[in-house]
Amino acid sequence: MRWRVTVIVRLREGLNDPEGRVIGNALRNLGYAVENLRVPKCFEFELESENPEEEVREMCRKLLANPLIHDYEYRIEPVN
């Protein structure tokens, strides 16, 4: 079966996000009242699998996220 997968990877709470800090500062300089801006990574792909949950978790553990510094969440939907 074919699945559409979205994986969001974020730095763990309390870790420095330099890219988010720069973008947040730029937005504040433009007059927007933003605070604590963070920049997650989003991976979107299609997967042919009989066990997508297990494969996506494995992908996250092996490559997409570093468990020491990242949290991740994913969504798996069937492709019609």
Side-chain angles (χ1 to χ4, degrees):
M1 187 165 188
R2 188 175 268 319
W3 305 92
R4 181 172 296 112
V5 180
T6 304
V7 178
I8 306 292
V9 178
R10 292 181 178 87
L11 284 170
R12 288 185 180 259
E13 195 64 39
L15 291 178
N16 186 24
D17 184 346
E19 187 176 6
R21 188 175 59 247
V22 168
I23 294 169
N25 286 340
L27 287 170
R28 281 189 293 282
N29 289 340
L30 291 171
Y32 298 102
V34 299
E35 295 295 328
N36 301 317
L37 190 137
R38 299 175 65 76
V39 179
K41 292 180 186 173
C42 178
F43 300 93
E44 297 176 325
F45 54 91
E46 290 187 7
L47 174 67
E48 186 72 34
S49 175
E50 295 303 316
N51 192 351
E53 288 272 338
E54 183 178 320
E55 287 190 28
V56 170
R57 279 195 307 270
E58 188 174 295
M59 288 177 200
C60 290
R61 284 193 310 269
K62 287 184 173 182
L63 180 67
L64 300 179
N66 177 340
L68 297 176
I69 63 170
H70 294 125
D71 291 320
Y72 63 88
E73 61 189 67
Y74 56 86
R75 184 175 64 243
I76 301 172
E77 302 169 326
V79 173
N80 295 327

